[in-house]
Amino acid sequence: MDTICALATAPGGALGIIRISGPQALEILSRIFSKNLTAALPNTIHYGHIIEYDAVSQHQVPLDEVLVSVFRSPHSYTGEDSAEISCHGSRYILNKVLELLIQHGCRMASPGEYTQRAFLNGKMDLSQAEAVADLIASGNKATHQIAMSQLRGHFSSELSRLREQLLKLTSLLELELDFSDHEDLEFADRSELLELANKIDNRITSLTHSFETGQALKNGIPVALAGKTNVGKSTLLNRLLRDDRAIVSSVHGTTRDTIEDTMDIHGVTFRFIDTAGIRQTSDEVEQIGINRTYAAIAKARIVLWIIDAEPATADVQEILERCQGKSLIIIRNKMDIAAMPSTSSLSDSRLKDIPTVEISAKQGTNIDKLERAIFESANIPELSEQDIIVTSARQYQSLVSARDHLSRVLPGLESGLSGDLVSEDLRLVLDDLADITGQGRIVTNEVLGNIFKNFCVGK
């Protein structure tokens, strides 16, 4: 029942917005505003001044010229009476307004408390609340679309449909139990129930598998630049990033540690990792860097294998072994040097089906072709706001748990297991899906704390 306040914009800009929410929001605001807003109509904007008491003149004096937006319960972000003060972005003014609000009865909001109140007041479910944080953090088109889809309730609607189907299964099985003494009555056709359970299982599995794509889009798809020393890995990194991020030198073994940075290609973030050149060395420090190269390749989703000459058979064998299950692109660098062989003439037959791009990292030749090849190798489906991609580890864990419980339902239906045992596992699946949205479940303070602790204070 507290009335909370917080700065909702970064300080130091031309304007700053302070948010107030709670049962006394308009009453408290009226004590420091030049107009009484307690009877203000909802969804209205009011011009006036923030007033403070001047101890020297012992009079009320204007602190700032502001606009106040008024929102009435339940038609506000939090579902409570709320207001937003739009004032000048001076740190002094912003801090002074917050100080005045606190003096007159507000308290400072905790991280994510506005969104938490929106959930508690039924304005959104937990999956939508998490989407608010994802929307704020979205750094590219893909993550923005995913967050908007979830915020608009597409994931919630999908889960609602799955739960309705599961409830149908459970109801039919439990109806049989109620009439178990009437052997001639059959309410549930096991073959139809099994078909429905398989459809639900396939959809939950699909949502679970989308988590890998969601994490890659959210954190950046890892791309490792690998190859021997002095083939141009660092030059290529700098060219891709449009910045002198890595040191470039003709001395072998210049790069001794991994260097990471990100860039967007066609609306998707890629995380490029420059690595130490692979070669035999007695230098202990350089060998540590080479070991880190192998670790970067292991973690990468895409590997750019940069060559400037015909690779040895042993080198081909090593890169193919280390890149199993990954997207590999062969990059023949230094095409500006006429004597260099074309990648089309590579003699090892194992390389013929691997995408190859000829470039000059130094001159920037064919970098656009390479970027297209990198994007295509990521195998990111074309996304729209209707698509559902799971990005939250909490949601993923609940889906995995639901799939595990459902895996016991399927053989139970096939083998004619007692309906009460099958129903118990179905109820566990229902609970797992309810945990994602928080609807129909008691959500603990610990769960809420974990969800909202990383929110900014003004949201």
Side-chain angles (χ1 to χ4, degrees):
M1 297 301 292
D2 290 347
T3 298
I4 56 175
C5 63
L7 178 64
T9 53
L15 296 174
I17 295 177
I18 292 172
R19 309 180 78 186
I20 313 166
S21 182
Q24 292 185 293
L26 300 180
E27 181 183 342
I28 292 173
L29 180 54
S30 295
R31 296 170 188 167
I32 66 167
F33 190 53
S34 55
K35 298 177 182 178
N36 188 334
L37 298 175
T38 54
L41 294 174
N43 307 319
T44 54
I45 297 177
H46 304 265
Y47 166 79
H49 294 84
I50 297 295
I51 304 297
E52 66 170 331
Y53 178 76
D54 180 55
V56 177
S57 65
Q58 296 186 344
H59 288 92
Q60 299 282 355
V61 295
L63 172 67
D64 193 23
E65 189 177 33
V66 303
L67 291 175
V68 172
S69 305
V70 173
F71 308 94
R72 291 285 189 176
S73 171
H75 305 294
S76 69
Y77 179 76
T78 60
E80 305 170 329
D81 283 350
S82 304
E84 293 182 356
I85 306 171
S86 179
C87 53
H88 292 95
S90 155
R91 290 179 183 270
Y92 172 78
I93 292 174
L94 296 172
N95 289 334
K96 194 66 179 178
V97 173
L98 288 171
E99 179 184 321
L100 290 170
L101 288 170
I102 293 170
Q103 285 177 1
H104 287 85
C106 283
R107 71 162 171 83
M108 284 295 293
S110 57
E113 189 168 1
Y114 291 95
T115 305
Q116 182 173 333
R117 289 188 175 202
F119 162 68
L120 294 173
N121 291 323
K123 300 295 290 185
M124 61 179 67
D125 63 34
L126 281 184
S127 67
Q128 292 172 301
E130 288 173 305
V132 172
D134 287 344
L135 185 63
I136 294 171
S138 60
N140 56 53
K141 181 179 179 181
T143 52
H144 172 264
Q145 287 179 327
I146 293 170
M148 283 301 297
S149 172
Q150 192 154 322
L151 184 60
R152 290 182 174 179
H154 296 147
F155 188 27
S156 303
S157 297
E158 177 78 0
L159 293 174
S160 179
R161 285 191 292 269
L162 290 173
R163 293 189 79 241
E164 285 178 7
Q165 293 171 337
L166 286 165
L167 284 169
K168 178 183 177 181
L169 273 174
T170 308
S171 300
L172 289 173
L173 287 169
E174 293 183 350
L175 191 60
E176 280 191 351
L177 295 175
D178 292 338
F179 292 88
S180 58
D181 53 336
H182 293 72
E183 295 181 0
D184 57 326
L185 292 177
E186 184 182 82
F187 293 94
D189 183 328
R190 288 298 176 106
S191 62
E192 291 182 5
L193 294 184
L194 182 60
E195 182 181 357
L196 179 57
N198 274 309
K199 288 182 179 179
I200 296 170
D201 179 62
N202 290 336
R203 186 52 183 148
I204 292 177
T205 299
S206 174
L207 290 171
T208 304
H209 288 166
S210 74
F211 179 67
E212 182 180 354
T213 298
Q215 284 294 286
L217 292 173
K218 194 173 181 178
N219 301 319
I221 297 173
V223 182
L225 283 67
K228 290 185 172 294
T229 57
N230 272 22
V231 293
K233 297 187 299 300
S234 297
T235 303
L236 177 56
L237 177 72
N238 291 342
R239 177 65 66 177
L240 287 168
L241 299 177
R242 279 77 168 172
D243 188 20
D244 290 334
R245 183 70 175 79
I247 297 174
V248 176
S249 169
S250 60
V251 178
H252 287 269
T254 301
T255 302
R256 297 197 170 198
D257 202 352
T258 56
I259 301 173
E260 295 188 27
D261 213 332
T262 61
M263 70 167 290
D264 283 4
I265 300 177
H266 303 315
V268 176
T269 299
F270 290 83
R271 181 159 45 87
F272 290 96
I273 310 163
D274 186 21
T275 65
I278 301 172
R279 65 170 180 166
Q280 295 294 325
T281 180
S282 58
D283 187 312
E284 182 178 355
V285 176
E286 187 178 357
Q287 186 58 53
I288 293 173
I290 294 172
N291 291 339
R292 292 186 178 183
T293 295
Y294 295 142
I297 292 174
K299 294 178 181 178
R301 186 164 170 169
I302 301 171
V303 177
L304 308 183
W305 186 34
I306 304 161
I307 60 174
D308 60 3
E310 177 80 27
T313 301
D315 294 336
V316 173
Q317 181 66 27
E318 180 179 25
I319 198 69
L320 291 178
E321 288 179 355
R322 293 188 180 277
C323 292
Q324 289 184 12
K326 304 179 184 300
S327 296
L328 176 63
I329 302 175
I330 300 172
I331 300 175
R332 183 277 213 175
N333 190 24
K334 305 180 183 178
M335 65 177 292
D336 50 302
I337 302 176
M340 296 304 301
S342 169
T343 49
S344 60
S345 64
L346 295 177
S347 60
D348 197 310
S349 61
R350 293 173 293 178
L351 304 178
K352 66 178 182 178
D353 295 326
I354 298 175
T356 59
V357 183
E358 298 181 15
I359 69 165
S360 170
K362 183 177 181 180
Q363 295 184 350
T365 308
N366 286 344
I367 296 299
D368 56 338
K369 292 182 180 180
L370 174 57
E371 290 179 353
R372 282 198 299 272
I374 293 170
F375 179 80
E376 291 169 1
S377 293
N379 293 320
I380 300 297
E382 187 173 344
L383 299 174
S384 71
E385 287 186 5
Q386 306 298 320
D387 293 314
I388 300 171
I389 303 291
V390 177
T391 60
S392 162
R394 185 190 69 85
Q395 296 169 8
Y396 171 73
Q397 290 168 357
S398 293
L399 287 170
V400 169
S401 179
R403 192 177 60 182
D404 289 344
H405 290 134
L406 198 54
S407 69
R408 296 200 293 268
V409 171
L410 298 173
L413 290 172
E414 288 176 338
S415 63
L417 189 67
S418 172
D420 57 342
L421 296 177
V422 176
S423 293
E424 181 59 31
D425 283 322
L426 282 172
R427 280 193 289 269
L428 291 173
V429 178
L430 284 166
D431 288 344
D432 290 327
L433 297 183
D435 283 338
I436 296 175
T437 60
Q439 294 177 324
R441 295 281 282 171
I442 296 174
V443 184
T444 66
N445 288 332
E446 182 181 5
V447 171
L448 291 178
N450 287 333
I451 290 173
F452 295 108
K453 67 182 180 182
N454 294 319
F455 274 60
C456 54
V457 171
K459 196 63 180 177

